[in-house]
Amino acid sequence: MLVKVFGSAVFGVDATTITIEVNIDKGIGYHLVGLPDNAIKESSYRIAAALKNNGYQLPGKKITINMAPADLRKEGSAYDLTLAIGILVASGQIQPEDVDKYIIMGELSLDGSLQPIRGALPIAIKAKEEGFKGFFLPKQNAKEAAIVSGLDVYGIENVQEIIDFFEGKGTVEPIIFDTREEFYKTLDFPEFDFSDVKGQESIKRCMEIAAAGGHNIILIGPPGAGKTMLAKRLPSILPPMTLREALETTKIHSVVGKIKEAGLMNQRPFRSPHHTISNVALVGGGSYPQPGEISMAHNGVLFLDELPEFKREVLEVMRQPLEDREVTISRAKFTVTYPSSFMLVASMNPSPSGFFNDPGSPNTSSPNEMNRYLSKISGPLLDRIDIHIEVTPVPFDKLSDSRNSESSASIRERVTKAREVQTLRFQENEKVNYNAQMNTKQIREFCALDENSKQLLKNAMERLNLSARAYDRILKVARTIADLDDSPMVISNHIAEAIQYRSLDRDGWLG
């Protein structure tokens, strides 16, 4: 008897429906075709044990299973439940009328219980697009998939539950999930707050500008100056995620199986990989491509602590994603693209000893050591970072000050207001949402300068020997400063402040 059931495979951040054809005929054998990986090939043992422990059996006949399209590589153990139901229907042990109207996915344990899967959200989105009636999957993934409206999502704990459903004697009901209500109900404030930071007013100002315009920023200072503490608080002043951003972010994290039981992510991600990370782990890829850290930070913050400690080739692979805000992984037979629109926040010591330019501590690094240390960061990468700022240690009188600093909530209000101005400015361009994303044409249009500002910028360009890309960065930052000042024009004060935030372009840093 020939039966068709349906599963799904995830490539990139999108799903592809997989048709699983099960044919049972005279003879003996278990034949699985359609480019399955080892985890799928081993499924027969899990399926046999799970069915036997629930009162069913793997028929002692010739079982041929084709996973179509046959030229598409299938991976993972999430097809266990799909194959098991196909075998039960083809062997006549259950006789459902509409099994082909559902997507069925789940990894089986030997007792028939189900283990969570990856990519539940993109699978649910594809199922709705293709007109499937419902989606059966492990209960742990049910809320994640139920974000998609117009699709019946059934979270089950055991293979027996889906069998009972198809035999008309089950009580399993579809999950009810109001996406908007859950998104706003669980929207809370980040854990870290700028009110905890003593002193560092100039650095807070830089962080506010970076957040308002979506600018990449690097913090340079000696150990203990507070670089990591400041970076961890940046998400607390970013504008709240929109529902669209939340869905985009949840989809990426779903692909790598990092979604919590709540289902919908509503906090901007903060990713802080260790400096030993490989370039594949950072940007994504592998034999079976998966999103990397830069995609996991989509719509949030990627923090690279001690930037010169990262391998140079790892840092260089970020250059293209920083410009294009997406990363494309190409293989011989397919290409996948992951979104990677993130704010880069980096920190570094000014020298190997950590105390270069610190008047309170001696610099024990030789010139050769300094050059070797700083040469790990290429000029093109630094050009893609809009704001360079020095962080100095906080003096004792400010550390011991009992007065509270300005809270993240107050800063966030100003940042959100500036972002609203930018949203209105770029409303006709879907690819640009804030100042850091402006292209050359938009910079010329929205960052027009008067003669005083032009002369000021010209002098800085000549004295600091800045590149054309650095010129554009200064204009973008100046536009953000003007937005925070509620100024329609970029004036010389805004340009002067923006020039100050190019510390690594000055003589004495990178030569």
Side-chain angles (χ1 to χ4, degrees):
M1 180 179 178
L2 174 64
V3 168
K4 291 184 180 181
V5 290
F6 294 91
S8 194
V10 177
F11 292 92
V13 291
D14 297 311
T16 300
T17 299
I18 303 297
T19 303
I20 296 178
E21 303 170 318
V22 182
N23 186 68
I24 297 182
D25 206 347
K26 294 180 180 179
I28 296 177
Y30 186 91
H31 307 283
L32 185 60
V33 297
L35 289 183
D37 70 353
N38 287 334
I40 301 175
K41 291 176 182 177
E42 294 171 350
S43 64
S44 60
Y45 302 105
R46 294 189 294 272
I47 292 170
L51 294 183
K52 184 175 181 180
N53 288 325
N54 284 273
Y56 301 89
Q57 62 182 357
L58 203 65
K61 296 183 178 181
K62 182 180 178 180
I63 303 173
T64 304
I65 301 174
N66 178 44
M67 306 180 76
D71 62 344
L72 195 65
R73 183 76 174 173
K74 324 298 185 309
E75 64 166 326
S77 54
Y79 297 98
D80 289 359
L81 184 61
T82 329
L83 298 174
I85 296 301
I87 290 170
L88 288 175
V89 177
S91 62
Q93 296 181 70
I94 61 174
Q95 298 178 342
E97 296 181 356
D98 56 355
V99 69
D100 58 347
K101 294 180 181 178
Y102 296 87
I103 294 289
I104 302 169
M105 296 292 287
E107 177 187 335
L108 283 171
S109 296
L110 299 187
D111 62 355
S113 60
L114 294 177
Q115 300 297 322
I117 64 172
R118 295 181 178 184
L121 180 54
I123 292 173
I125 292 172
K126 189 66 174 179
K128 181 186 176 182
E129 288 177 357
E130 297 197 349
F132 283 93
K133 183 178 179 180
F135 180 17
F136 283 93
L137 76 168
K139 192 172 184 178
Q140 299 96 314
N141 302 112
K143 282 189 176 181
E144 175 188 341
I147 292 171
V148 179
S149 60
L151 179 74
D152 290 340
V153 174
Y154 299 89
I156 56 177
E157 297 181 349
N158 191 283
V159 66
Q160 188 64 53
E161 293 182 34
I162 187 172
I163 293 172
D164 290 344
F165 176 88
F166 284 126
E167 291 190 327
K169 54 185 180 182
T171 58
V172 61
E173 295 290 338
I175 302 293
I176 305 298
F177 189 91
D178 188 322
T179 304
R180 290 185 178 276
E181 180 183 346
E182 291 294 325
F183 174 71
Y184 292 109
K185 183 175 71 175
T186 58
L187 194 63
D188 55 6
F189 207 71
E191 176 184 359
F192 300 105
D193 196 283
F194 270 102
S195 62
D196 304 326
V197 180
K198 303 296 184 181
Q200 305 287 24
E201 299 306 323
S202 62
I203 314 303
K204 292 179 187 177
R205 168 68 174 173
C206 284
M207 302 295 271
E208 181 179 338
I209 294 169
H215 302 288
N216 301 323
I217 183 172
I218 184 168
L219 309 173
I220 312 110
K227 302 184 297 294
T228 302
M229 178 183 65
L230 287 161
K232 286 183 176 180
R233 282 156 177 77
L234 180 59
S236 70
I237 62 172
L238 290 173
M241 290 182 81
T242 63
L243 184 56
R244 180 184 61 81
E245 289 176 328
L247 289 169
E248 285 178 354
T249 307
T250 303
K251 193 175 179 182
I252 296 168
H253 285 248
S254 172
V255 171
V256 292
K258 298 293 185 181
I259 298 297
K260 297 179 181 178
E261 194 170 338
L264 186 65
M265 295 182 63
N266 58 12
Q267 293 296 328
R268 295 190 181 275
F270 180 88
R271 306 293 298 183
S272 180
H274 193 261
H275 65 260
T276 56
I277 191 171
S278 67
N279 51 3
V280 171
L282 184 66
V283 301
S287 301
Y288 304 116
Q290 290 285 304
E293 288 290 333
I294 63 173
S295 295
M296 296 286 282
H298 182 62
N299 290 323
V301 175
L302 177 70
F303 176 47
L304 301 183
D305 197 8
E306 302 298 340
L307 189 67
E309 299 300 328
F310 285 79
K311 296 176 184 176
R312 181 167 178 140
E313 60 269 22
V314 172
L315 297 178
E316 292 303 297
V317 297
M318 283 201 309
R319 285 163 54 178
Q320 178 260 337
L322 280 170
E323 286 290 319
D324 298 341
R325 300 190 179 273
E326 64 180 22
V327 58
T328 300
I329 309 296
S330 297
R331 295 291 180 265
K333 293 186 177 181
F334 59 87
T335 298
V336 296
T337 298
Y338 298 113
S340 57
S341 180
F342 60 91
M343 276 186 65
L344 173 64
V345 180
S347 73
M348 61 178 286
N349 295 330
S351 65
S353 67
F355 298 102
F356 178 69
N357 276 7
D358 183 0
S361 301
N363 177 38
T364 58
S365 302
S366 68
N368 285 338
E369 289 175 328
M370 288 280 295
N371 289 332
R372 187 163 55 249
Y373 178 74
L374 295 174
S375 66
K376 293 182 179 180
I377 310 171
S378 69
L381 178 62
L382 281 176
D383 277 348
R384 287 167 169 83
I385 299 178
D386 300 354
I387 298 175
H388 313 159
I389 188 67
E390 297 176 50
V391 182
T392 55
V394 181
F396 176 79
D397 59 336
K398 290 188 176 180
L399 280 176
S400 59
D401 191 344
S402 59
R403 290 174 296 180
N404 288 331
S405 301
E406 186 177 22
S407 69
S408 291
S410 299
I411 303 173
R412 193 184 208 180
E413 286 182 11
R414 297 194 295 270
V415 168
T416 303
K417 185 178 179 181
R419 284 284 185 103
E420 289 171 353
V421 171
Q422 296 164 49
T423 300
L424 186 62
R425 176 182 299 138
F426 305 120
Q427 60 183 343
E428 296 181 0
N429 191 324
E430 295 182 356
K431 294 184 178 180
V432 178
N433 299 301
Y434 41 84
N435 290 335
Q437 297 177 331
M438 284 192 292
N439 57 35
T440 303
K441 181 180 178 181
Q442 290 165 332
I443 292 173
R444 302 296 177 263
E445 180 180 355
F446 300 118
C447 305
L449 303 179
D450 58 25
E451 287 304 318
N452 289 338
S453 300
K454 284 182 181 178
Q455 189 60 45
L456 177 63
L457 186 52
K458 178 185 177 182
N459 293 339
M461 293 286 295
E462 293 174 350
R463 183 165 55 86
L464 299 176
N465 195 27
L466 300 179
S467 68
R469 185 178 280 115
Y471 170 82
D472 287 345
R473 302 293 175 188
I474 290 173
L475 289 177
K476 289 179 181 181
V477 173
R479 177 67 266 178
T480 300
I481 296 170
D483 290 339
L484 286 168
D485 285 350
D486 200 19
S487 171
M489 295 293 296
V490 177
I491 60 177
S492 57
N493 289 347
H494 304 143
I495 291 292
E497 184 175 359
I499 292 170
Q500 293 179 23
Y501 302 143
R502 300 295 300 181
S503 296
L504 294 180
D505 293 325
R506 300 175 192 168
D507 291 339
W509 281 107
L510 295 181

Coordinates of all heavy atoms in Angstrom, one line a residue, residues 182-247:
E182 N 0.4 38.4 23.5 CA 1.5 37.8 24.2 C 2.7 38.7 24.0 O 3.5 38.8 24.9 CB 1.8 36.4 23.6 CG 0.7 35.4 23.9 CD 0.7 35.1 25.4 OE1 1.7 35.1 26.1 OE2 -0.5 34.8 25.9
F183 N 2.9 39.3 22.8 CA 4.1 40.1 22.6 C 4.1 41.3 23.5 O 5.1 41.6 24.2 CB 4.1 40.6 21.1 CG 5.2 41.6 20.8 CD1 6.5 41.2 20.8 CD2 4.9 42.9 20.6 CE1 7.5 42.1 20.5 CE2 5.9 43.8 20.3 CZ 7.2 43.4 20.3
Y184 N 3.0 42.0 23.7 CA 3.0 43.2 24.5 C 2.8 42.9 26.0 O 3.3 43.6 26.8 CB 1.8 44.1 24.0 CG 2.1 44.7 22.7 CD1 1.4 44.3 21.6 CD2 3.1 45.7 22.5 CE1 1.6 44.9 20.3 CE2 3.4 46.2 21.2 CZ 2.6 45.8 20.2 OH 2.9 46.3 18.9
K185 N 2.2 41.7 26.3 CA 2.0 41.4 27.7 C 3.3 41.0 28.3 O 3.5 41.3 29.5 CB 1.0 40.2 27.8 CG 0.7 39.8 29.2 CD -0.4 38.7 29.3 CE 0.2 37.3 28.8 NZ -0.8 36.2 28.9
T186 N 4.2 40.4 27.6 CA 5.5 39.9 28.2 C 6.6 40.9 27.9 O 7.8 40.6 28.2 CB 5.8 38.5 27.6 OG1 5.9 38.6 26.2 CG2 4.8 37.5 28.0
L187 N 6.3 42.0 27.3 CA 7.4 43.0 27.0 C 7.9 43.6 28.3 O 7.2 44.4 28.9 CB 6.8 44.1 26.0 CG 7.8 45.0 25.4 CD1 8.8 44.2 24.4 CD2 7.1 46.1 24.6
D188 N 9.1 43.3 28.7 CA 9.6 43.9 29.9 C 10.9 44.6 29.7 O 11.4 44.6 28.5 CB 9.8 42.8 31.0 CG 10.6 41.6 30.5 OD1 11.2 41.7 29.4 OD2 10.8 40.6 31.2
F189 N 11.5 45.2 30.7 CA 12.7 46.0 30.5 C 13.9 45.1 30.7 O 13.9 44.2 31.6 CB 12.7 47.1 31.5 CG 13.4 48.3 31.0 CD1 12.9 49.1 30.0 CD2 14.6 48.7 31.6 CE1 13.6 50.2 29.6 CE2 15.3 49.8 31.2 CZ 14.8 50.6 30.2
P190 N 15.0 45.4 30.0 CA 16.2 44.6 30.2 C 16.8 44.6 31.6 O 16.5 45.5 32.4 CB 17.2 45.3 29.2 CG 16.4 46.0 28.2 CD 15.1 46.4 28.9
E191 N 17.6 43.6 31.8 CA 18.1 43.4 33.2 C 19.1 44.5 33.6 O 19.1 44.9 34.8 CB 18.9 42.0 33.2 CG 19.6 41.7 34.5 CD 20.3 40.4 34.5 OE1 20.3 39.8 33.4 OE2 21.0 40.1 35.5
F192 N 20.0 45.0 32.7 CA 21.0 46.0 33.1 C 20.5 47.4 32.8 O 19.8 47.6 31.8 CB 22.3 45.7 32.3 CG 22.8 44.3 32.6 CD1 22.7 43.3 31.6 CD2 23.5 44.0 33.8 CE1 23.3 42.0 31.9 CE2 24.0 42.8 34.0 CZ 23.9 41.8 33.1
D193 N 20.9 48.3 33.6 CA 20.4 49.7 33.5 C 21.6 50.7 33.7 O 22.5 50.5 34.5 CB 19.3 50.0 34.6 CG 18.5 51.2 34.3 OD1 19.0 52.3 34.5 OD2 17.4 51.1 33.9
F194 N 21.5 51.8 32.9 CA 22.6 52.8 33.0 C 22.6 53.5 34.3 O 23.5 54.2 34.6 CB 22.4 53.8 31.8 CG 23.2 53.3 30.6 CD1 22.5 52.8 29.5 CD2 24.5 53.5 30.5 CE1 23.2 52.4 28.4 CE2 25.2 53.1 29.4 CZ 24.6 52.5 28.3
S195 N 21.5 53.4 35.1 CA 21.5 54.1 36.4 C 22.6 53.5 37.3 O 23.0 54.1 38.3 CB 20.1 54.0 37.1 OG 19.8 52.6 37.3
D196 N 23.1 52.3 37.0 CA 24.1 51.6 37.8 C 25.5 52.2 37.5 O 26.5 51.9 38.2 CB 24.1 50.1 37.6 CG 22.8 49.5 37.8 OD1 22.1 50.0 38.8 OD2 22.4 48.5 37.1
V197 N 25.6 52.9 36.4 CA 27.0 53.4 36.0 C 27.3 54.7 36.6 O 26.6 55.7 36.4 CB 27.0 53.5 34.4 CG1 28.4 54.0 34.0 CG2 26.6 52.2 33.8
K198 N 28.4 54.8 37.3 CA 28.8 56.0 38.0 C 29.8 56.7 37.0 O 30.7 56.1 36.5 CB 29.5 55.7 39.3 CG 28.7 54.9 40.3 CD 27.5 55.7 40.7 CE 26.7 55.0 41.8 NZ 25.5 55.7 42.2
G199 N 29.6 58.0 36.9 CA 30.5 58.8 36.0 C 30.3 58.4 34.5 O 29.2 58.1 34.1
Q200 N 31.4 58.5 33.8 CA 31.3 58.1 32.3 C 30.3 58.8 31.5 O 29.6 58.2 30.6 CB 31.2 56.6 32.2 CG 32.1 55.7 33.0 CD 33.5 55.7 32.3 OE1 33.9 56.7 31.6 NE2 34.3 54.7 32.6
E201 N 30.0 60.1 31.8 CA 28.9 60.8 31.1 C 29.2 60.9 29.7 O 28.3 60.8 28.8 CB 28.7 62.2 31.8 CG 28.4 62.2 33.2 CD 27.1 61.4 33.5 OE1 26.2 61.4 32.7 OE2 27.1 60.7 34.6
S202 N 30.5 61.2 29.3 CA 30.8 61.3 27.8 C 30.5 60.0 27.1 O 30.1 59.9 26.0 CB 32.2 61.8 27.6 OG 33.1 60.9 28.2
I203 N 30.8 58.9 27.8 CA 30.6 57.5 27.2 C 29.2 57.2 27.0 O 28.7 56.7 26.0 CB 31.3 56.4 28.0 CG1 32.8 56.9 28.4 CG2 31.4 55.1 27.2 CD1 33.6 57.2 27.2
K204 N 28.4 57.6 28.0 CA 26.9 57.4 28.0 C 26.4 58.2 26.8 O 25.5 57.7 26.1 CB 26.3 57.9 29.3 CG 26.6 57.0 30.4 CD 25.8 57.5 31.7 CE 26.2 56.8 32.9 NZ 25.6 57.4 34.1
R205 N 26.9 59.4 26.6 CA 26.5 60.2 25.4 C 26.8 59.5 24.1 O 25.9 59.5 23.2 CB 27.2 61.6 25.5 CG 27.1 62.4 24.2 CD 25.7 62.9 24.0 NE 25.7 63.9 22.9 CZ 24.6 64.4 22.3 NH1 23.4 64.1 22.8 NH2 24.6 65.2 21.3
C206 N 27.9 58.9 24.0 CA 28.3 58.1 22.8 C 27.4 56.9 22.6 O 26.9 56.7 21.5 CB 29.7 57.6 22.9 SG 31.0 58.8 22.6
M207 N 27.1 56.2 23.7 CA 26.2 55.1 23.6 C 24.8 55.5 23.2 O 24.1 54.8 22.4 CB 26.1 54.4 24.9 CG 27.4 53.9 25.5 SD 28.2 52.6 24.5 CE 27.5 51.1 25.1
E208 N 24.3 56.7 23.7 CA 23.0 57.2 23.3 C 23.0 57.5 21.8 O 22.0 57.2 21.1 CB 22.7 58.5 24.1 CG 21.4 59.1 23.8 CD 21.1 60.3 24.6 OE1 21.7 60.5 25.7 OE2 20.3 61.2 24.2
I209 N 24.1 58.1 21.3 CA 24.2 58.5 19.8 C 24.2 57.2 19.0 O 23.5 57.1 18.0 CB 25.4 59.3 19.6 CG1 25.3 60.7 20.2 CG2 25.6 59.5 18.1 CD1 26.6 61.5 20.2
A210 N 25.0 56.2 19.5 CA 25.1 54.9 18.7 C 23.7 54.3 18.7 O 23.3 53.8 17.6 CB 26.1 54.0 19.4
A211 N 23.0 54.2 19.8 CA 21.7 53.6 19.8 C 20.7 54.4 19.0 O 19.8 53.7 18.3 CB 21.2 53.5 21.3
A212 N 20.7 55.7 19.0 CA 19.8 56.5 18.2 C 19.9 56.3 16.7 O 18.9 56.3 16.0 CB 19.9 58.0 18.6
G213 N 21.1 56.1 16.3 CA 21.3 56.0 14.8 C 21.7 54.6 14.3 O 21.9 54.4 13.2
G214 N 21.8 53.6 15.3 CA 22.1 52.3 14.9 C 23.6 52.2 14.5 O 24.0 51.3 13.7
H215 N 24.5 53.0 15.1 CA 25.9 53.0 14.7 C 26.7 52.0 15.4 O 26.5 51.7 16.6 CB 26.5 54.4 15.0 CG 25.7 55.6 14.3 ND1 25.8 55.8 13.0 CD2 24.9 56.5 14.8 CE1 25.1 56.9 12.7 NE2 24.5 57.3 13.8
N216 N 27.7 51.4 14.7 CA 28.7 50.6 15.3 C 29.6 51.4 16.1 O 29.9 52.5 15.8 CB 29.5 49.8 14.2 CG 28.6 49.0 13.3 OD1 27.6 48.4 13.8 ND2 28.9 48.9 12.0
I217 N 30.1 50.8 17.2 CA 30.9 51.6 18.2 C 32.0 50.7 18.7 O 31.8 49.5 18.9 CB 30.0 52.2 19.3 CG1 30.9 53.1 20.3 CG2 29.3 51.1 20.1 CD1 30.0 53.8 21.3
I218 N 33.2 51.3 19.0 CA 34.3 50.6 19.6 C 34.7 51.4 20.8 O 34.9 52.7 20.7 CB 35.5 50.4 18.6 CG1 36.6 49.5 19.3 CG2 36.0 51.6 18.1 CD1 37.6 49.0 18.4
L219 N 34.9 50.7 22.0 CA 35.3 51.4 23.2 C 36.8 51.0 23.5 O 37.2 49.8 23.5 CB 34.5 50.9 24.4 CG 33.0 50.9 24.2 CD1 32.2 50.3 25.3 CD2 32.5 52.4 24.0
I220 N 37.7 52.0 23.7 CA 39.1 51.8 23.9 C 39.5 52.3 25.2 O 39.2 53.5 25.6 CB 39.9 52.5 22.8 CG1 39.4 52.3 21.4 CG2 41.4 52.1 22.9 CD1 38.8 53.5 20.8
G221 N 40.0 51.4 26.1 CA 40.4 51.8 27.4 C 41.1 50.7 28.2 O 41.1 49.6 27.8
P222 N 41.7 51.1 29.3 CA 42.5 50.1 30.1 C 41.6 49.1 30.8 O 40.4 49.4 30.9 CB 43.2 51.0 31.1 CG 42.4 52.2 31.2 CD 41.8 52.5 29.9
P223 N 42.1 48.0 31.3 CA 41.3 47.1 32.0 C 40.6 47.7 33.2 O 41.2 48.5 33.9 CB 42.3 46.0 32.4 CG 43.5 46.1 31.5 CD 43.5 47.6 31.1
G224 N 39.4 47.4 33.4 CA 38.7 47.9 34.6 C 38.0 49.2 34.4 O 37.5 49.8 35.4
A225 N 38.1 49.8 33.2 CA 37.5 51.1 33.0 C 36.0 51.0 32.8 O 35.3 52.1 32.9 CB 38.2 51.7 31.7
G226 N 35.4 49.8 32.6 CA 34.0 49.7 32.5 C 33.5 49.5 31.1 O 32.3 49.7 30.8
K227 N 34.3 49.0 30.2 CA 33.9 48.8 28.8 C 32.8 47.8 28.7 O 31.8 48.0 28.0 CB 35.1 48.4 27.9 CG 36.3 49.5 27.9 CD 37.4 49.1 27.0 CE 38.1 47.8 27.4 NZ 38.8 47.8 28.7
T228 N 33.0 46.6 29.3 CA 32.1 45.5 29.2 C 30.8 45.9 29.9 O 29.7 45.6 29.4 CB 32.6 44.3 29.8 OG1 33.8 43.9 29.2 CG2 31.7 43.1 29.7
M229 N 30.9 46.6 31.1 CA 29.7 47.0 31.8 C 28.8 47.9 30.9 O 27.6 47.8 30.9 CB 30.1 47.7 33.1 CG 28.9 48.2 33.9 SD 29.5 49.2 35.4 CE 30.3 50.6 34.6
L230 N 29.4 48.9 30.2 CA 28.7 49.8 29.4 C 28.1 49.1 28.2 O 26.9 49.3 27.8 CB 29.7 50.9 28.9 CG 30.1 51.9 29.9 CD1 31.4 52.6 29.5 CD2 29.0 52.9 30.2
A231 N 28.8 48.2 27.6 CA 28.3 47.4 26.4 C 27.1 46.6 26.8 O 26.1 46.5 26.0 CB 29.4 46.5 25.8
K232 N 27.1 46.0 27.9 CA 26.0 45.1 28.3 C 24.7 45.9 28.6 O 23.6 45.4 28.5 CB 26.3 44.4 29.6 CG 27.3 43.2 29.4 CD 27.5 42.4 30.7 CE 28.4 41.2 30.4 NZ 28.7 40.5 31.7
R233 N 24.8 47.2 28.8 CA 23.7 48.1 29.0 C 23.1 48.8 27.8 O 22.1 49.4 27.8 CB 24.0 49.1 30.1 CG 24.0 48.5 31.5 CD 24.8 49.3 32.5 NE 24.7 48.7 33.9 CZ 25.3 47.6 34.2 NH1 26.1 46.9 33.4 NH2 25.1 47.1 35.5
L234 N 23.8 48.6 26.7 CA 23.3 49.2 25.4 C 21.9 48.7 25.0 O 21.1 49.5 24.6 CB 24.3 49.0 24.3 CG 24.0 49.6 22.9 CD1 23.8 51.1 23.0 CD2 25.0 49.2 21.9
P235 N 21.6 47.4 25.1 CA 20.3 47.0 24.7 C 19.2 47.7 25.5 O 18.0 47.8 25.0 CB 20.3 45.5 25.0 CG 21.7 45.1 24.8 CD 22.5 46.3 25.4
S236 N 19.5 48.1 26.7 CA 18.5 48.8 27.6 C 18.0 50.1 27.1 O 17.0 50.6 27.5 CB 19.0 48.9 29.0 OG 20.0 49.8 29.1
I237 N 18.8 50.7 26.2 CA 18.4 52.0 25.6 C 18.0 52.0 24.2 O 17.7 53.0 23.6 CB 19.5 53.1 25.8 CG1 20.8 52.7 25.1 CG2 19.8 53.3 27.3 CD1 21.8 53.8 25.1
L238 N 18.0 50.8 23.6 CA 17.6 50.6 22.2 C 16.0 50.7 22.2 O 15.4 50.3 23.1 CB 18.0 49.3 21.6 CG 19.5 49.2 21.3 CD1 19.9 47.8 20.9 CD2 19.9 50.2 20.2
P239 N 15.4 51.2 21.1 CA 14.0 51.2 21.0 C 13.4 49.8 21.2 O 14.0 48.8 20.8 CB 13.7 51.8 19.6 CG 15.0 52.5 19.2 CD 16.1 51.7 19.9
P240 N 12.2 49.7 21.8 CA 11.6 48.4 21.9 C 11.4 47.7 20.5 O 11.2 48.4 19.5 CB 10.2 48.7 22.5 CG 10.4 50.0 23.1 CD 11.4 50.8 22.3
M241 N 11.5 46.4 20.5 CA 11.3 45.7 19.2 C 9.9 45.9 18.7 O 8.9 45.8 19.5 CB 11.6 44.2 19.4 CG 13.1 43.9 19.6 SD 13.4 42.1 19.8 CE 13.4 41.6 18.1
T242 N 9.8 46.0 17.4 CA 8.5 46.0 16.8 C 8.1 44.5 16.6 O 8.9 43.6 16.7 CB 8.5 46.6 15.4 OG1 9.3 45.9 14.5 CG2 8.9 48.1 15.5
L243 N 6.8 44.2 16.4 CA 6.3 42.9 16.2 C 7.0 42.2 15.0 O 7.4 41.1 15.0 CB 4.8 42.9 16.0 CG 4.1 41.5 15.9 CD1 4.5 40.6 17.1 CD2 2.6 41.6 15.8
R244 N 7.2 43.0 13.9 CA 7.9 42.5 12.7 C 9.3 42.0 13.1 O 9.8 41.0 12.7 CB 7.9 43.5 11.6 CG 8.6 43.0 10.3 CD 8.7 44.1 9.3 NE 9.4 45.3 9.8 CZ 10.8 45.3 9.8 NH1 11.5 44.3 9.3 NH2 11.4 46.4 10.2
E245 N 10.0 42.9 13.8 CA 11.4 42.5 14.2 C 11.4 41.3 15.1 O 12.3 40.5 15.0 CB 12.0 43.7 14.9 CG 12.4 44.9 14.0 CD 12.9 46.1 14.8 OE1 12.5 46.3 16.0 OE2 13.7 46.8 14.2
A246 N 10.4 41.2 16.0 CA 10.3 40.1 16.9 C 10.2 38.8 16.1 O 10.8 37.8 16.4 CB 9.2 40.3 17.9
L247 N 9.3 38.8 15.1 CA 9.1 37.6 14.3 C 10.3 37.3 13.5 O 10.7 36.1 13.4 CB 7.9 37.9 13.3 CG 6.5 37.9 14.0 CD1 5.5 38.4 13.0 CD2 6.1 36.6 14.5

